[in-house]
Amino acid sequence: MATSSYDYVIIGGGTTGLVVANRLSEDPNQRVLVLEAGSDLSEDPRVRTPAIFTSLLETEADWDFRTEPQPNLRGRSIKLNQGKALGGSSAINAHIFVPPGKGSIDAWGSLGNEGWNWDILRGYLSKTYTSPLVDDAFKESLGIDEWSGRSNPANGPIKTSFSGHLYHPIRRAWAEVFEACSSSMASDPFLDSSSAGCFSVLASIDPENRERSYAVSAYYNPIRDRPNLQVLTNAVVEKIVFDDDQPPKATGVQYIHDNETKTVVATKEVVLAAGALQSPKLLELSGIGDAKLLEGHGIEVVQNLPQVGENLQDHLVCYISYEAFDDVETLDVYMTDPEAAERARMEYETNRSGTLSSVGFYTYAYLPLVKSLSGKDHETLKELLRQNRPPVGTDPSQERARIYHELAENTILHPTEPTGAYLTALTQLTPPVEPNSDSPTDPVPGKFITFGVMLSQPLSRGSVHIVSDQVSSPPAIDPNYLSNPLDLEVFARHMQYAETLASSPAFSKLLKQPLRRRDPASDSRNLDRAKKYVQTSAISIWHVGGTCAMLPREKGGVVDPQLRVYGTQSLRVVDASAIPLISTANLQATVYAFAERAAELIKDAHGLK
């Protein structure tokens, strides 16, 4: 068995792994190794070209996970796409780059994590991306002309842009809808995310070359020749190696590369960055987890830590596609007309412009629920919160459920804290439909604008655990979607409000009237119909987190505020699994910032430059 030695061994060359590798290797005296299970696809046009990211799904670039059947989603098994390539999910995602809400990040601190709040994380957000310069001529169409002093200091590796057609009328219509109800953001949400409201969405698309900007292009390629950094692809980690100390110390990693089992020694730390579904799996395969589960699979228990793999959180999203007027520019033709798709490909390859330079997600909003409710509906929510309040107990899982419920109660009933995220897409989307119904399963003729609604702060919690002692076996993933009745109630009411937005005067110039839905079953004006549609057609938007939560151990935590795994030495978790409460919407920006802070914590602990 081959053996080598490094100061730091990072498991996972995804979004967080490459950020941490970049920062640790800034000190030329530190030897850093990254082990990545996937390949380097940075030259693959499917990765580089924004609009064709879906061609990577269910391929060699995707772990292609499936959940256990979900009782509250009509027994459906939900796809969970996760990047299996250098760069991880940053190589296959939809480019949406949005900030977390201030309340969701401040909640990390209130859960018992000193040193984690919005004011602190905001600095790391600025460190990770470059805010695009915008010509004054475009500011009104983008809806940012009223932002007070857009002096964003962000100048980091990830290049962002307001991608696509800057004058597209959906941008102005979106701004007008929320101006009418006083829900526009008064400033750049990356600088002041303290309130709800609408904004034009940034994309992780380089404004110069119109290509994906992601962990590989931004954090790895510029420094890949550092002599003290090695990144090994197609290296499948089997387990973390521990010594016999008390508490046990992580001393290395066992992995498979070129059909050979190898061991690498980590003289300072093992850094786990395999993602919210793989990091708990690797901890359990290494003997860190629920002792009963581990013993049942014949795995020697290194540390009994039952909360590993628990607390799984994810964002569900549900879409309604409305038929647009014929003169509105959408992407639908490229889904159904091969000749149009070929012309778009040629334009992109020749000029780095046109349809393929954008994904078509232009607008976003973070919205509370309370403002759109009647007094009676408000009382209904309060009663549901009371009925579903967890019992008081001493077990860590009970304590964790209690503190999360208190947070949710404060958020749901707060007039400005967002509980839903809204977006638009300039194309029809084809979500799951009721079996044996008249609902269309494939794209239909016409032009469409899609409204998407995301449940921002779900109360339902699930789990991910090993099913054998073999690394080749996918874990059992049970998000337990909508198991808390409050989630369905809040989600359905947000779907109703999406109908209100689509019916507003601002959209009467874009959407055919009366509104024509691509799928009649998506009509969510009635609360019961909205609930049925959510259960039938909601899908994951792959924002999984929380499975190695940064929480006090007595509250069900797996890592402490320094991201060190409880009951061990020299082992940290730095990916979304450690995030204790998933942020308001898409996690990409939050995860980059989290990784930047994680790298600094490690450097500070070892006195690095």
Side-chain angles (χ1 to χ4, degrees), residues 172-191:
R172 192 62 241 165
W174 192 251
E176 288 177 4
V177 167
F178 291 100
E179 286 169 1
C181 58
S182 301
S183 293
S184 296
M185 285 205 174
S187 58
D188 187 336
F190 278 94
L191 300 179

Side-chain angles (χ1 to χ4, degrees), residues 100-114:
K102 179 180 185 296
S104 65
I105 303 304
D106 283 341
W108 297 1
S110 66
L111 288 167
N113 297 303
E114 185 178 353

